[in-house]
Each structure stands twice: as C-alpha cells, then as structure tokens.
Amino acid sequence: MPLEDGDPVRWRGQQVNGEVSGTPRLGGMGDPQPRGTPAPDGSKPGATEAMAEGWEPGPALGDKDVSPGGSPQQAGQELGRREEALMAELSELVQKVVKSSSWWERHGVDISILACSFLLLPAGFLCLQSAQAVPFLAGVLTLGVVHHTLTVKGSHLASHNALTESKSWGKVWAIFFIELCSAFTAEQATYNHVKIHHGYTNVIGLGPLAVPIITPLVALDLLRNVEWKAALRTLCCMFLGLYCHYWLLLHVSGFQSPRSALLCMLLTRSLLAHPYIHVNIFQHIGLPMFAADRKPKRIHLMSLGVLNLPRNALLDWSFGHSLISCHVEHHLFPSLSDNMCLKIKPIVSQYLKQKKLPYNEDTYASRLRLFLRRYEELMVHAPPITELVGIQ
C-alpha cells in the first residue's frame, strides 16, 4: 500500500474481528513512536488547515524505495499521483450521488431530527413535575436524549457547516449549537475538531478526547485564545443556555431548591456521556498511528485509522450516523450531513474494498474487550484530556 512520497506500508499483522494485531511499519521509521510526542510546527492554524484540506506538506519519507529505471523522487511523485487519483475518483463517485440527491436528503432529514428534539423539550420538562418514578424518569431520559442530540449531533454538523449550504447561516448555527447549547466557544471547537482531529487523524500526540461533563470548564480556559469580542459572545451564550435550563427546571418542572435543579441538570447533561466517550475512543483505538511529518495521503490515512461501529437507534438519533456507523465516510467527506454519509456508505465501502484498501468495522462489545485488555498500552500514555476537550 503506497504512502506519501513513495514509502510502502509494511504490515506486521492482520486485522481480525476489527482488532489490528500489528501496526504498519513505515519505511525507515522502525516501530511507531510512543504517544505523547510533541506537536510539530505544522500544528499551527495555517498549516493545520492546509492539511485538513487533503494535502500534506513535509519531507519525503523513510528509506527511499526506488522503482526500476527511476529516481526516488520520480517514484515518489508517481505514487503520490496515484494516491491523489484514487481520492479524486472516489470523490467523483460521491459527488454524483450528492448532486442527484434532494435538499431533503442533503439537509432536511437531519434538520428534522434536530427540530423534533426541540419539540420534545416541553414534554421532558413537564414529566419532571410528576412525583411518580416512571414519569419522572421518562422526563430525565427525554431531556438527556434531547440534550445530547442538540449538543453532539447539532454541534458536530454545525462545526462542519453540514446543516446548510450558506456560510453565513452556518456561522449562526455553529454559535447556537456549540455555544448556546453546548457551552463551548465555536472558534475553538471548530479548530480542535475540524482542523486538528480531521487534519491529524491518528497522528501521535494530537489525538483529542472529548469529555462532555467538564466541557464548560475547559471552554472558559480556552477563551484566553480568542478575541475579546468572541470571548464575550461565548460567555453570554454559555450563561444564557445554562440559565434557561436552570430556570425551566425551577418554574416549569417545579423543583423546589436550586440544589435539586442543578443536580437534575448534571444528570440530564451527562446521561449519554459514557457511551459518547467510548464511541470517540473505540473508533480509533488500536488502529495504526503515524508521525505528523510521515502520515499517509488522505485516502490511506482515513481508511487505515478510522473505524465504523454498528448502527444503534438511540446513538444514531443522538450522535448521528457520521459518529457511529459512517465514521469512515465522515472522515473522507466531512462536509456531508449524517444522512448523506449513510447514503454514500455502500459506494465508499465497495470502492475501498475494490482498491484493496482497509474498511474497518467492528462491534461495540469487541472494541470494549480490546479497550479493557490493552488499556495500559493504548490509554495510559495518551495525551492529557485537557489538551483538546470539546466536540469530537
């Protein structure tokens, strides 16, 4: 499998039941570097944005394998062109599907899911009025699912401008879902997710981990890195979103004390936090890792380092297809909505398999077993969670 500038991947194992028993050995690199390698200079915003667009600046790789009758540079350029041709061919196939799809398929389905979630809010707050256990728990479940749908699915789509084809409205939706609903600054969320996570997928030292419960606290710290106008806007949106939730619990749900209302806020906002963190880890854990200056071209990086989980009705609704069963498709075409990622899934999987590229899929239970069995190896030396906390 060719890499950037001509270095091949030399596999030391095969993938069995979704687990990679060996990691790719890059020519001239030896074994993969340990986690925690400092971020390269390319992690600055300008370089990161360029890499997120699908091209990777940097030196040639490794031991300079040479094709007969050609120089190492010529061989590398030829392989690079082949890899770019693969991505271009796949993009053309996907673009045909997108152009033939209606607005409802491109945006309407996901907007309807978000709209339905808003319509469920009154029922959730009213159920919390009940002194009986079943209606009360139904209210907690309703508000928890609605909260994660708005803050995970809504924020994720908004960060990629996948809710609309207008950049102006995309900015409005990003502020609404990321700052008002999620209590995080839109600029930092977009940079961390779109520029870092997508631009450096499975790059050592740059892997983000999202922890929803402490997101507002980390967001406050990150406000130092944005302009004062953006910081003031974020603070106002965060306060408005949190206070509205608190006020509704007191005046609609009938909570008698601030403490009980705050505890209910914590419960509903963390209801699906555990599976959310697991999903973010399971989609990349145990898959090949790369040095920042020696990562493959886009199509190989995403096919090697991203994994799809099975469809799940609750998580599909709350997190979206692009974070569950279509994560490979999402990393290859991040501007597409959840519904469109699901629609192009057969095309992408068939194309990657036809070209002998990996198409990683595994079950939640299998990934959990891998996580527990190799926890020390895969998680102990991971970057601190405060490095990148937000939407994944």
Side-chain angles (χ1 to χ4, degrees), residues 254-343:
F255 281 81
Q256 299 300 312
S257 69
R259 182 181 179 181
S260 61
L262 291 174
L263 286 175
C264 186
M265 285 180 64
L266 177 62
L267 178 60
T268 56
R269 287 174 174 262
S270 62
L271 186 67
L272 297 179
H274 194 271
Y276 177 71
I277 295 172
H278 268 190
V279 163
N280 280 282
I281 295 173
F282 293 171
Q283 288 165 331
H284 301 278
I285 192 174
L287 297 175
M289 302 291 292
F290 306 95
D293 60 343
R294 302 189 178 190
K295 66 188 184 73
K297 288 288 188 178
R298 182 179 184 82
I299 191 167
H300 286 126
L301 180 66
M302 302 312 177
S303 63
L304 285 166
V306 185
L307 177 141
N308 287 341
L309 294 169
R311 293 193 63 177
N312 177 287
L314 177 61
L315 300 185
D316 284 348
W317 178 277
S318 302
F319 300 164
H321 299 299
S322 59
L323 291 182
I324 306 297
S325 61
C326 302
H327 204 52
V328 174
E329 289 74 15
H330 169 64
H331 269 259
L332 286 168
F333 304 98
S335 64
L336 296 183
S337 65
D338 289 330
N339 186 65
M340 283 306 302
C341 284
L342 185 64
K343 187 173 181 180

Coordinates of all heavy atoms in Angstrom, one line a residue, residues 254-343:
G254 N -40.9 22.5 38.4 CA -41.3 22.7 39.8 C -40.3 22.2 40.8 O -40.7 21.9 41.9
F255 N -39.1 22.3 40.5 CA -38.1 21.9 41.5 C -38.1 23.0 42.6 O -38.2 24.2 42.3 CB -36.7 21.8 40.9 CG -36.4 20.5 40.1 CD1 -36.9 20.3 38.9 CD2 -35.7 19.5 40.8 CE1 -36.7 19.2 38.2 CE2 -35.5 18.3 40.1 CZ -36.0 18.1 38.8
Q256 N -37.9 22.5 43.9 CA -38.1 23.4 45.0 C -36.8 24.1 45.4 O -36.9 25.1 46.2 CB -38.7 22.6 46.2 CG -40.1 22.0 45.9 CD -41.1 23.1 45.5 OE1 -41.2 24.1 46.2 NE2 -41.8 22.9 44.4
S257 N -35.7 23.6 45.1 CA -34.4 24.1 45.5 C -33.4 24.2 44.4 O -33.5 23.4 43.4 CB -33.8 23.3 46.6 OG -33.4 22.0 46.2
P258 N -32.5 25.2 44.4 CA -31.5 25.3 43.4 C -30.6 24.1 43.3 O -30.2 23.7 42.2 CB -30.7 26.6 43.8 CG -31.7 27.4 44.7 CD -32.5 26.4 45.4
R259 N -30.4 23.5 44.5 CA -29.5 22.3 44.5 C -30.1 21.2 43.7 O -29.4 20.5 42.9 CB -29.3 21.9 45.9 CG -28.3 20.7 46.1 CD -28.1 20.3 47.5 NE -27.3 19.1 47.6 CZ -27.0 18.6 48.8 NH1 -27.4 19.1 50.0 NH2 -26.2 17.5 48.8
S260 N -31.4 20.9 43.9 CA -32.1 19.8 43.2 C -32.1 20.1 41.7 O -31.9 19.2 40.9 CB -33.5 19.6 43.7 OG -34.3 20.7 43.6
A261 N -32.3 21.3 41.3 CA -32.4 21.7 39.9 C -31.0 21.5 39.3 O -30.9 21.0 38.1 CB -32.8 23.1 39.7
L262 N -29.9 21.9 40.0 CA -28.6 21.7 39.5 C -28.2 20.3 39.3 O -27.5 19.9 38.4 CB -27.6 22.5 40.4 CG -27.6 24.0 40.3 CD1 -26.7 24.6 41.4 CD2 -27.3 24.5 39.0
L263 N -28.6 19.4 40.3 CA -28.4 18.0 40.2 C -29.1 17.4 39.0 O -28.5 16.5 38.3 CB -28.8 17.3 41.5 CG -27.9 17.5 42.7 CD1 -28.5 16.9 44.0 CD2 -26.5 16.9 42.5
C264 N -30.3 17.8 38.7 CA -31.0 17.3 37.6 C -30.3 17.8 36.3 O -30.3 17.0 35.3 CB -32.5 17.8 37.6 SG -33.5 17.1 36.3
M265 N -29.8 19.0 36.3 CA -29.1 19.5 35.1 C -27.9 18.6 34.8 O -27.6 18.2 33.7 CB -28.6 20.9 35.3 CG -29.7 22.0 35.2 SD -29.0 23.7 35.4 CE -27.9 23.8 34.0
L266 N -27.2 18.3 35.9 CA -26.0 17.4 35.8 C -26.4 16.0 35.3 O -25.7 15.5 34.4 CB -25.2 17.3 37.1 CG -24.0 16.4 37.1 CD1 -22.9 16.9 36.2 CD2 -23.5 16.3 38.6
L267 N -27.5 15.5 35.8 CA -27.9 14.1 35.4 C -28.3 14.1 33.9 O -27.9 13.2 33.2 CB -29.1 13.7 36.2 CG -29.7 12.4 35.9 CD1 -28.7 11.2 36.1 CD2 -30.9 12.1 36.8
T268 N -29.1 15.0 33.5 CA -29.5 15.0 32.1 C -28.4 15.3 31.1 O -28.3 14.7 30.0 CB -30.7 16.0 31.8 OG1 -30.2 17.3 32.2 CG2 -31.9 15.6 32.6
R269 N -27.5 16.2 31.5 CA -26.4 16.6 30.6 C -25.3 15.5 30.5 O -24.5 15.5 29.6 CB -25.8 17.9 31.0 CG -26.7 19.1 30.7 CD -26.1 20.4 31.3 NE -26.9 21.5 30.9 CZ -26.6 22.3 29.8 NH1 -25.5 22.2 29.2 NH2 -27.4 23.3 29.5
S270 N -25.3 14.6 31.5 CA -24.3 13.5 31.5 C -24.9 12.2 31.2 O -24.2 11.1 31.3 CB -23.5 13.5 32.8 OG -24.4 13.2 33.9
L271 N -26.2 12.1 30.8 CA -26.8 10.8 30.6 C -26.2 9.9 29.6 O -26.0 8.7 29.9 CB -28.3 11.1 30.2 CG -29.2 9.9 30.1 CD1 -29.4 9.3 31.5 CD2 -30.5 10.2 29.5
L272 N -25.8 10.5 28.5 CA -25.1 9.7 27.5 C -23.6 10.0 27.3 O -23.0 9.7 26.3 CB -25.8 9.9 26.1 CG -27.3 9.5 26.0 CD1 -27.8 9.7 24.6 CD2 -27.4 8.0 26.3
A273 N -23.1 10.6 28.4 CA -21.6 11.0 28.3 C -20.7 9.7 28.2 O -19.7 9.7 27.5 CB -21.3 11.8 29.5
H274 N -21.1 8.7 28.9 CA -20.3 7.5 28.9 C -20.2 6.8 27.6 O -19.1 6.6 27.1 CB -20.8 6.5 30.0 CG -19.9 5.4 30.3 ND1 -19.8 4.2 29.6 CD2 -18.9 5.3 31.3 CE1 -18.9 3.4 30.1 NE2 -18.3 4.1 31.1
P275 N -21.3 6.5 26.9 CA -21.2 6.0 25.6 C -20.6 6.9 24.6 O -19.9 6.5 23.6 CB -22.6 5.6 25.2 CG -23.5 6.4 26.1 CD -22.7 6.5 27.4
Y276 N -20.7 8.2 24.8 CA -20.1 9.2 23.9 C -18.6 9.2 24.0 O -17.9 9.2 22.9 CB -20.6 10.6 24.3 CG -20.0 11.7 23.5 CD1 -20.3 11.9 22.1 CD2 -19.1 12.6 24.0 CE1 -19.8 12.9 21.4 CE2 -18.5 13.6 23.3 CZ -18.9 13.8 22.0 OH -18.3 14.8 21.2
I277 N -18.1 9.1 25.2 CA -16.6 9.0 25.3 C -16.1 7.7 24.8 O -15.1 7.6 24.1 CB -16.2 9.1 26.8 CG1 -16.6 10.5 27.3 CG2 -14.7 8.8 27.0 CD1 -16.4 10.7 28.8
H278 N -16.9 6.6 25.0 CA -16.5 5.3 24.5 C -16.4 5.3 23.0 O -15.5 4.8 22.3 CB -17.4 4.2 25.0 CG -17.0 3.5 26.2 ND1 -17.6 2.4 26.8 CD2 -16.0 3.9 27.1 CE1 -16.9 2.1 27.9 NE2 -16.0 2.9 28.1
V279 N -17.5 5.8 22.4 CA -17.6 5.9 20.9 C -16.4 6.6 20.3 O -15.7 6.2 19.4 CB -18.9 6.5 20.4 CG1 -18.8 6.9 19.0 CG2 -20.0 5.6 20.7
N280 N -16.0 7.7 20.9 CA -14.9 8.5 20.4 C -13.6 7.7 20.5 O -12.7 7.9 19.6 CB -14.8 9.8 21.2 CG -15.7 10.9 20.7 OD1 -15.5 11.5 19.7 ND2 -16.8 11.0 21.4
I281 N -13.4 6.9 21.5 CA -12.2 6.1 21.7 C -12.2 4.9 20.8 O -11.2 4.6 20.1 CB -12.1 5.7 23.2 CG1 -11.8 6.9 24.1 CG2 -10.9 4.7 23.3 CD1 -11.9 6.6 25.6
F282 N -13.3 4.2 20.7 CA -13.4 2.9 20.0 C -13.2 3.1 18.5 O -12.8 2.2 17.9 CB -14.7 2.3 20.3 CG -14.9 1.8 21.7 CD1 -16.1 1.3 22.2 CD2 -13.9 1.8 22.6 CE1 -16.3 0.9 23.5 CE2 -14.0 1.4 23.9 CZ -15.2 1.0 24.4
Q283 N -13.5 4.3 18.0 CA -13.4 4.4 16.5 C -12.0 4.6 16.0 O -11.7 4.6 14.8 CB -14.2 5.7 16.1 CG -15.7 5.4 16.2 CD -16.5 6.7 16.1 OE1 -16.1 7.7 16.5 NE2 -17.7 6.6 15.5
H284 N -11.0 4.8 17.0 CA -9.6 5.0 16.5 C -8.6 4.1 17.3 O -7.5 3.9 16.9 CB -9.2 6.5 16.7 CG -10.1 7.4 15.9 ND1 -9.9 7.6 14.5 CD2 -11.2 8.1 16.2 CE1 -10.8 8.5 14.1 NE2 -11.6 8.8 15.1
I285 N -9.0 3.6 18.5 CA -8.1 2.9 19.3 C -7.6 1.6 18.7 O -8.4 0.9 18.0 CB -8.8 2.6 20.7 CG1 -7.8 2.1 21.7 CG2 -9.9 1.6 20.5 CD1 -8.3 1.9 23.1
G286 N -6.3 1.3 18.8 CA -5.8 0.1 18.3 C -5.5 0.1 16.8 O -5.0 -0.9 16.2
L287 N -5.9 1.2 16.1 CA -5.6 1.3 14.7 C -4.3 2.0 14.5 O -3.7 2.6 15.4 CB -6.7 2.1 14.0 CG -8.1 1.4 14.1 CD1 -9.2 2.4 13.5 CD2 -8.1 0.1 13.4
P288 N -3.7 1.9 13.3 CA -2.4 2.5 13.0 C -2.2 3.9 13.4 O -3.2 4.7 13.2 CB -2.2 2.3 11.5 CG -3.0 1.1 11.2 CD -4.2 1.2 12.1
M289 N -1.1 4.3 14.0 CA -0.8 5.6 14.4 C 0.4 6.1 13.5 O 1.2 5.3 13.1 CB -0.4 5.7 15.9 CG -1.5 5.3 16.8 SD -2.9 6.4 16.8 CE -2.2 7.8 17.6
F290 N 0.5 7.4 13.3 CA 1.5 8.0 12.4 C 2.2 9.2 13.0 O 1.6 9.9 13.8 CB 0.9 8.4 11.1 CG 0.1 7.3 10.4 CD1 -1.3 7.2 10.6 CD2 0.7 6.3 9.6 CE1 -2.0 6.2 10.0 CE2 0.0 5.3 9.0 CZ -1.3 5.2 9.2
A291 N 3.4 9.4 12.6 CA 4.1 10.7 13.0 C 3.5 11.8 12.1 O 3.1 11.6 11.0 CB 5.6 10.5 12.8
A292 N 3.5 13.0 12.6 CA 2.9 14.1 12.0 C 3.5 14.4 10.6 O 2.8 14.8 9.7 CB 2.9 15.4 12.8
D293 N 4.8 14.2 10.5 CA 5.5 14.5 9.2 C 5.6 13.3 8.3 O 6.3 13.4 7.3 CB 6.9 15.1 9.5 CG 7.8 14.2 10.3 OD1 7.3 13.2 10.9 OD2 9.0 14.4 10.3
R294 N 5.0 12.2 8.7 CA 5.2 11.0 7.9 C 3.8 10.2 7.8 O 3.8 9.0 7.8 CB 6.2 10.0 8.5 CG 7.6 10.7 8.6 CD 8.6 9.7 9.0 NE 10.0 10.3 9.1 CZ 11.1 9.6 9.3 NH1 11.1 8.3 9.4 NH2 12.2 10.3 9.3
K295 N 2.8 11.0 7.7 CA 1.5 10.3 7.6 C 1.1 10.1 6.2 O 1.6 10.8 5.3 CB 0.4 11.2 8.3 CG 0.1 12.5 7.7 CD -0.8 13.3 8.7 CE -1.3 14.6 8.1 NZ -2.2 14.5 7.0
P296 N 0.3 9.1 5.9 CA -0.1 8.8 4.5 C -0.9 9.9 3.9 O -1.4 10.8 4.6 CB -0.9 7.5 4.6 CG -0.7 7.0 6.0 CD -0.3 8.2 6.9
K297 N -1.2 9.8 2.6 CA -2.2 10.7 2.0 C -3.5 10.4 2.6 O -3.8 9.4 3.2 CB -2.2 10.4 0.5 CG -0.9 10.8 -0.3 CD -0.9 12.4 -0.4 CE 0.3 12.8 -1.3 NZ 0.3 14.3 -1.5
R298 N -4.4 11.3 2.3 CA -5.8 11.4 2.9 C -6.5 10.1 2.8 O -7.0 9.6 3.8 CB -6.6 12.5 2.3 CG -8.0 12.7 2.9 CD -8.7 13.8 2.2 NE -10.0 14.0 2.9 CZ -10.2 14.7 4.0 NH1 -9.1 15.3 4.6 NH2 -11.3 14.9 4.5
I299 N -6.6 9.5 1.6 CA -7.5 8.3 1.5 C -6.9 7.1 2.3 O -7.6 6.3 2.9 CB -7.6 7.9 0.0 CG1 -8.7 6.9 -0.1 CG2 -6.3 7.4 -0.6 CD1 -9.1 6.6 -1.6
H300 N -5.6 7.0 2.4 CA -5.0 5.9 3.2 C -5.1 6.3 4.7 O -5.3 5.4 5.5 CB -3.5 5.7 2.8 CG -3.4 5.0 1.5 ND1 -2.6 5.5 0.4 CD2 -3.9 3.9 1.0 CE1 -2.7 4.7 -0.6 NE2 -3.5 3.7 -0.3
L301 N -4.9 7.5 5.0 CA -4.9 7.9 6.4 C -6.3 7.6 7.0 O -6.4 7.0 8.1 CB -4.6 9.4 6.6 CG -4.7 10.0 8.0 CD1 -3.6 9.4 8.8 CD2 -4.6 11.5 7.9
M302 N -7.3 7.9 6.3 CA -8.7 7.7 6.8 C -9.1 6.2 6.7 O -9.8 5.7 7.6 CB -9.7 8.6 6.0 CG -9.4 10.0 6.1 SD -9.0 10.6 7.7 CE -8.7 12.4 7.4
S303 N -8.7 5.5 5.7 CA -9.1 4.1 5.6 C -8.3 3.3 6.7 O -8.8 2.3 7.2 CB -8.8 3.6 4.2 OG -7.5 3.6 3.9
L304 N -7.1 3.7 7.0 CA -6.3 2.9 8.0 C -6.7 3.3 9.4 O -6.7 2.4 10.3 CB -4.8 3.2 7.8 CG -4.1 2.6 6.6 CD1 -2.8 3.3 6.3 CD2 -3.9 1.1 6.8
G305 N -7.0 4.5 9.7 CA -7.1 5.0 11.0 C -8.5 5.2 11.6 O -8.6 5.7 12.7
V306 N -9.5 4.9 10.8 CA -10.9 5.2 11.3 C -11.7 3.9 11.2 O -11.5 3.1 10.3 CB -11.5 6.3 10.4 CG1 -12.9 6.6 10.9 CG2 -10.6 7.5 10.3
L307 N -12.7 3.7 12.1 CA -13.5 2.5 12.2 C -14.9 2.9 12.3 O -15.3 3.8 13.0 CB -13.0 1.7 13.4 CG -13.7 0.4 13.7 CD1 -12.7 -0.7 14.1 CD2 -14.7 0.6 14.8
N308 N -15.8 2.1 11.7 CA -17.3 2.2 11.9 C -17.8 1.2 12.9 O -17.4 0.1 13.0 CB -18.0 1.9 10.5 CG -17.8 3.0 9.5 OD1 -17.4 4.2 9.9 ND2 -18.0 2.7 8.3
L309 N -18.7 1.7 13.7 CA -19.4 0.8 14.7 C -20.8 0.5 14.1 O -21.3 1.1 13.2 CB -19.6 1.6 16.0 CG -18.3 1.9 16.8 CD1 -18.6 2.8 17.9 CD2 -17.7 0.6 17.3
P310 N -21.4 -0.5 14.6 CA -22.8 -0.9 14.1 C -23.8 0.1 14.4 O -23.7 1.0 15.3 CB -23.1 -2.2 14.8 CG -21.8 -2.7 15.4 CD -21.0 -1.5 15.7
R311 N -24.9 0.1 13.6 CA -26.0 1.1 13.8 C -26.7 0.8 15.1 O -26.8 -0.4 15.5 CB -27.0 1.0 12.6 CG -26.4 1.5 11.3 CD -27.5 1.7 10.3 NE -28.4 2.7 10.7 CZ -29.5 3.2 10.0 NH1 -29.7 2.6 8.8 NH2 -30.3 4.1 10.4
N312 N -27.1 1.8 15.7 CA -27.8 1.8 17.0 C -28.9 2.9 17.0 O -28.5 4.1 16.8 CB -26.8 1.9 18.2 CG -27.5 1.9 19.5 OD1 -28.1 2.9 19.9 ND2 -27.3 0.8 20.3
A313 N -30.1 2.5 17.2 CA -31.2 3.5 17.1 C -31.0 4.7 18.0 O -31.1 5.9 17.5 CB -32.5 2.8 17.4
L314 N -30.7 4.5 19.3 CA -30.5 5.6 20.2 C -29.3 6.5 19.8 O -29.4 7.7 19.8 CB -30.4 5.1 21.6 CG -30.1 6.1 22.7 CD1 -31.3 7.1 22.8 CD2 -29.9 5.4 24.1
L315 N -28.2 5.9 19.6 CA -27.0 6.6 19.3 C -27.0 7.2 17.9 O -26.5 8.3 17.7 CB -25.7 5.7 19.4 CG -25.5 5.1 20.8 CD1 -24.2 4.4 20.8 CD2 -25.5 6.2 21.9
D316 N -27.7 6.6 16.9 CA -27.9 7.2 15.6 C -28.7 8.5 15.7 O -28.4 9.5 15.0 CB -28.6 6.2 14.7 CG -27.7 5.1 14.2 OD1 -26.5 5.2 14.3 OD2 -28.2 4.1 13.6
W317 N -29.7 8.5 16.6 CA -30.5 9.7 16.7 C -29.7 10.8 17.5 O -29.7 11.9 17.1 CB -31.8 9.3 17.5 CG -32.7 10.5 17.8 CD1 -32.6 11.4 18.8 CD2 -33.8 10.9 17.0 NE1 -33.6 12.3 18.7 CE2 -34.4 12.0 17.6 CE3 -34.4 10.4 15.8 CZ2 -35.5 12.7 17.1 CZ3 -35.6 11.1 15.4 CH2 -36.1 12.2 16.0
S318 N -29.1 10.4 18.6 CA -28.4 11.4 19.5 C -27.1 11.9 18.9 O -26.8 13.1 19.1 CB -28.2 10.7 20.9 OG -29.4 10.3 21.4
F319 N -26.3 11.0 18.4 CA -25.0 11.4 17.9 C -24.9 11.6 16.4 O -24.1 12.3 16.0 CB -23.9 10.3 18.4 CG -23.8 10.1 19.8 CD1 -23.2 9.0 20.4 CD2 -24.4 11.0 20.7 CE1 -23.1 8.8 21.7 CE2 -24.3 10.8 22.1 CZ -23.7 9.7 22.6
G320 N -25.7 10.8 15.7 CA -25.7 10.9 14.2 C -24.9 9.8 13.6 O -24.0 9.2 14.2
H321 N -25.2 9.5 12.3 CA -24.6 8.4 11.6 C -23.1 8.6 11.4 O -22.3 7.7 11.5 CB -25.2 8.2 10.3 CG -26.7 7.8 10.3 ND1 -27.2 6.7 10.9 CD2 -27.8 8.5 9.8 CE1 -28.5 6.7 10.8 NE2 -28.9 7.8 10.1
S322 N -22.7 9.9 11.2 CA -21.3 10.1 11.0 C -20.4 9.9 12.2 O -19.2 9.7 12.0 CB -21.1 11.6 10.5 OG -21.5 12.5 11.5
L323 N -21.0 9.8 13.4 CA -20.2 9.4 14.6 C -20.3 8.0 15.0 O -19.6 7.5 15.9 CB -20.6 10.3 15.7 CG -20.2 11.8 15.6 CD1 -20.6 12.5 16.9 CD2 -18.7 12.0 15.4
I324 N -21.2 7.2 14.3 CA -21.4 5.8 14.7 C -21.1 4.9 13.5 O -19.9 4.4 13.4 CB -22.8 5.6 15.1 CG1 -23.2 6.6 16.3 CG2 -23.0 4.2 15.6 CD1 -22.4 6.5 17.5
S325 N -22.0 4.7 12.6 CA -21.8 3.6 11.6 C -21.2 4.2 10.3 O -20.9 3.4 9.4 CB -23.2 3.0 11.3 OG -24.1 4.0 10.8
C326 N -21.0 5.5 10.2 CA -20.5 6.1 9.0 C -19.3 7.0 9.3 O -19.1 8.0 8.6 CB -21.5 6.9 8.2 SG -23.0 5.9 7.8
H327 N -18.5 6.6 10.2 CA -17.3 7.4 10.6 C -16.2 7.5 9.6 O -15.6 8.5 9.4 CB -16.8 6.9 12.0 CG -16.0 8.0 12.7 ND1 -16.6 9.2 13.0 CD2 -14.8 8.0 13.3 CE1 -15.7 9.9 13.7 NE2 -14.6 9.2 13.9
V328 N -16.0 6.4 8.9 CA -15.1 6.3 7.8 C -15.5 7.3 6.7 O -14.7 8.1 6.2 CB -14.9 4.9 7.2 CG1 -14.0 4.9 6.0 CG2 -14.4 4.0 8.3
E329 N -16.8 7.2 6.3 CA -17.3 8.1 5.3 C -17.2 9.6 5.7 O -16.9 10.5 4.9 CB -18.8 7.8 5.0 CG -19.0 6.4 4.3 CD -18.8 5.2 5.1 OE1 -18.7 5.3 6.4 OE2 -18.6 4.1 4.5
H330 N -17.5 9.8 7.0 CA -17.4 11.2 7.5 C -16.0 11.8 7.4 O -15.8 12.9 7.1 CB -17.9 11.2 8.9 CG -17.7 12.5 9.6 ND1 -18.3 13.7 9.2 CD2 -16.9 12.9 10.7 CE1 -17.9 14.7 10.0 NE2 -17.0 14.2 10.9
H331 N -15.0 10.9 7.8 CA -13.6 11.4 7.7 C -13.2 11.7 6.3 O -12.3 12.5 6.1 CB -12.7 10.5 8.5 CG -12.5 10.8 9.9 ND1 -11.4 11.4 10.4 CD2 -13.4 10.6 11.0 CE1 -11.6 11.6 11.7 NE2 -12.7 11.1 12.1
L332 N -13.7 10.9 5.4 CA -13.3 11.1 4.0 C -14.1 12.3 3.4 O -13.5 13.1 2.6 CB -13.7 9.9 3.2 CG -12.7 8.7 3.3 CD1 -13.3 7.4 2.7 CD2 -11.3 9.0 2.8
F333 N -15.3 12.5 3.8 CA -16.1 13.6 3.3 C -16.8 14.4 4.4 O -18.0 14.2 4.6 CB -17.1 13.1 2.2 CG -16.5 12.3 1.1 CD1 -16.4 10.9 1.2 CD2 -15.9 13.0 0.0 CE1 -15.8 10.2 0.1 CE2 -15.3 12.3 -1.0 CZ -15.3 10.9 -0.9
P334 N -16.1 15.1 5.2 CA -16.6 15.7 6.4 C -17.7 16.7 6.3 O -18.4 17.0 7.3 CB -15.3 16.3 7.1 CG -14.4 16.6 6.0 CD -14.7 15.5 5.0
S335 N -17.9 17.3 5.1 CA -18.9 18.4 4.9 C -20.3 17.8 4.7 O -21.2 18.6 4.6 CB -18.5 19.3 3.8 OG -18.5 18.6 2.6
L336 N -20.4 16.5 4.5 CA -21.7 15.9 4.3 C -22.5 15.7 5.6 O -21.9 15.4 6.6 CB -21.5 14.5 3.6 CG -20.9 14.5 2.2 CD1 -20.9 13.1 1.6 CD2 -21.6 15.5 1.2
S337 N -23.8 15.8 5.5 CA -24.6 15.5 6.6 C -24.6 14.1 7.0 O -24.2 13.2 6.3 CB -26.0 16.0 6.3 OG -26.6 15.2 5.3
D338 N -25.2 13.8 8.2 CA -25.3 12.4 8.6 C -26.1 11.5 7.6 O -25.7 10.4 7.3 CB -26.0 12.3 10.0 CG -25.2 12.9 11.1 OD1 -23.9 12.8 11.0 OD2 -25.7 13.4 12.1
N339 N -27.2 12.0 7.2 CA -28.0 11.2 6.2 C -27.3 11.0 4.9 O -27.4 9.9 4.4 CB -29.3 12.0 5.9 CG -30.3 11.2 5.1 OD1 -30.7 10.1 5.5 ND2 -30.5 11.6 3.9
M340 N -26.5 11.9 4.4 CA -25.7 11.7 3.2 C -24.6 10.8 3.4 O -24.2 10.0 2.5 CB -25.2 13.1 2.7 CG -26.2 13.9 2.0 SD -27.1 13.1 0.6 CE -25.8 12.6 -0.4
C341 N -24.0 10.8 4.6 CA -22.9 9.8 4.9 C -23.5 8.4 4.9 O -22.8 7.5 4.4 CB -22.3 10.1 6.3 SG -21.2 11.5 6.4
L342 N -24.7 8.2 5.4 CA -25.4 6.9 5.3 C -25.7 6.5 3.9 O -25.5 5.4 3.5 CB -26.6 7.0 6.1 CG -27.4 5.7 6.3 CD1 -26.6 4.6 7.1 CD2 -28.7 5.9 7.0
K343 N -26.0 7.5 3.1 CA -26.4 7.2 1.7 C -25.2 6.8 0.8 O -25.3 5.9 0.0 CB -27.1 8.4 1.0 CG -27.6 8.2 -0.4 CD -28.4 9.3 -0.9 CE -29.0 9.0 -2.3 NZ -29.8 10.2 -2.8

